């Protein structure tokens, strides 16, 4: 049996202008001179859906009246659908304020129906929208439960769904709204009463879409949808309803973009390694260039909570030069998401992913150059081929920095020590005995760091081995100690 979740956004026209995390106030959205959405404070002041805009000014003169922006609402609805792709690849738009999810194959991955419903609700709430959630074995049934005024909106079995639908007002079905007067005249108010009418007579007095929608709701007809497709690249922008003076306050708005990024990554089976958040300031005559905030990850990630923690640490270190009016998020570098480990028994300690997340958090809090890790470079010069790089950033590890036959000491000195020479032999504490060498290195002419050296392995009486080199560019032979073998 399939499981569908319907997400209904009743205040979408209002919350595209005033998200639910903004300050409270009386706001009304009108379309063609009539109210289509109103805030709770405006409703308390007497505003009703369908009221004329002139009546709003008379009843609630302090209400802010906004014109409906259908294009902006559609963009917001697509953003919600993109964010919900992290729970299932089968997401479809249903009307102007609804999103449908087929979560039949996702229940076990997210801990069951109740846990998945909570995750969906939390994601939509983070995006800044009020929702009604319905769950049922059919998509049309879930849609009707989400639009119903009753609190019971989750049904698992088909028999139980039929009982709940029979008690719902039949005018919840949009296809029946043109026949409201006729239905009231014959005393038909619920779906149960509608189903008891002769199908042939109902089909003659209505259109074919009524019976089709009714059959789909009760699971007696197939349901076909066009699934939402994630774009090939991720770029999203969010215009802020108010100016933001402090960078940390932008995190609440940035989480909406990170939710969409997480859905996009899961839909493509990608993990992000580098993304850019543009903090947009004033435009026009007093324009200020956007403040770029680029974040590089030590290990690929796709979870919104981890990306939020990184962004929070970075925003805490930024001082804004001008108020923010918008945010723009872009995924700069992604890679294919790695499959889960094939180990039957997990390691008793922390996983490598958790270790990389710790490095990323430390780098975001202390600065990239305060948390370093060793890395190899493709260079034969010992002082160049070993380097310290930021631990939180992506890096390419090269294994061809030294020839396969070359032996390198465990400990390299930061500055080589010049040795004395006795009888043409270097001396360090005591006379040394040659073990191996020479290894000739000549490179670095391209960056001004030319070296011409012969490297040797010497051993003293206590069996300690040293890595020495002899300079060959000067007439006078000079010996240096550069490393110790373990």
């Amino acid at each position: 049996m399939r499981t569908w979740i319907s997400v209904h956004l009743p205040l979408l026209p209002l919350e595209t202008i005033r998200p639910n995390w903004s300050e409270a106030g009386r706001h009304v959205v009108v379309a063609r001179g009539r109210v289509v959405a109103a805030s709770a404070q405006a409703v308390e002041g007497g505003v009703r859906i369908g009221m004329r805009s002139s009546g709003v000014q008379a009843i609630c003169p302090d209400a802010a009246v906004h014109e409906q922006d259908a294009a902006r609402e559609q963009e917001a609805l697509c953003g919600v659908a993109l964010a919900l792709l992290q729970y299932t690849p089968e997401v479809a738009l249903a009307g102007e304020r609804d999103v449908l999810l087929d979560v039949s194959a996702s229940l076990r991955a997210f801990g069951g129906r109740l846990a998945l419903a909570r995750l969906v609700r939390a994601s939509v709430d983070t995006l800044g929208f009020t929702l009604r959630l319905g769950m049922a074995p059919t998509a049309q049934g879930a849609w009707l439960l989400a639009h119903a005024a009753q609190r019971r909106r989750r049904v698992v079995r088909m028999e139980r769904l039929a009982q709940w639908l029979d008690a719902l007002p039949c005018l919840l079905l949009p296809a029946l709204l043109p026949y409201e007067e006729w239905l009231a005249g014959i005393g038909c108010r619920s779906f149960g009463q509608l189903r008891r009418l002769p199908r042939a007579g109902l089909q003659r007095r209505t259109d074919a879409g009524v019976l089709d929608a009714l059959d789909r709701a009760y699971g007696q007809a197939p349901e076909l949808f066009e699934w939402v497709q994630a774009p090939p690249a991720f770029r999203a922008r969010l215009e802020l309803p108010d100016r933001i003076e402090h960078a940390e306050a932008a995190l609440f708005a940035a989480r909406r973009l990170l939710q969409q990024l997480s859905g996009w990554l899961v839909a493509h089976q990608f993990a992000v390694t580098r993304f850019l958040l543009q903090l947009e300031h004033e435009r026009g005559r007093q324009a200020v260039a956007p403040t770029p905030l680029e974040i590089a990850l030590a290990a690929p990630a796709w979870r919104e909570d981890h990306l939020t923690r990184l962004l929070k640490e970075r925003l805490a270190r930024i001082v804004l030069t001008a108020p923010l009016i918008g945010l723009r998020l872009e995924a700069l570098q992604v890679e294919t998401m790695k499959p889960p480990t094939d180990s039957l028994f997990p390691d008793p300690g922390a996983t490598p992913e958790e270790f990389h997340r710790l490095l990323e958090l430390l780098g975001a809090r202390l600065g990239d150059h305060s948390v370093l890790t060793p890395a190899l470079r493709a260079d034969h010069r010992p002082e160049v081929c070993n380097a310290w790089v930021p631990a939180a950033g992506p890096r390419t590890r090269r294994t061809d920095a030294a020839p396969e036959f070359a032996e390198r000491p465990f400990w390299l000195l930061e500055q080589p020590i010049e040795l004395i020479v006795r009888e043409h032999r270097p001396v360090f504490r005591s006379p040394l005995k040659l073990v191996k060498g020479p290894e000739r290195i000549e490179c670095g002419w391209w960056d001004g760091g030319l070296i011409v050296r012969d490297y040797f392995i010497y051993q003293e009486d206590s069996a300690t081995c040293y890595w020495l080199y002899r300079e060959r560019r000067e007439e006078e032979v000079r010996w240096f100690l550069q490393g110790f073998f373990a």
Side-chain angles (χ1 to χ4, degrees), residues 360-383:
E360 291 164 359
L361 288 176
L362 290 175
R365 180 171 299 180
L366 304 177
D368 291 338
H369 296 283
S370 299
V371 184
L372 304 176
T373 185
L376 297 178
R377 292 180 180 174
D379 201 298
H380 289 276
R381 292 171 290 182
E383 59 268 26

Side-chain angles (χ1 to χ4, degrees), residues 237-252:
R237 183 184 181 277
L238 177 64
E239 186 173 349
L240 302 177
D242 298 307
R243 285 175 169 80
I244 293 179
E245 302 287 343
H246 303 284
E248 293 183 35
L251 181 66
F252 296 98

Side-chain angles (χ1 to χ4, degrees), residues 7-19:
V7 176
H8 175 52
L9 308 176
L11 300 180
L12 181 63
L14 175 66
E15 290 176 335
T16 54
I17 303 171
R18 305 293 306 179

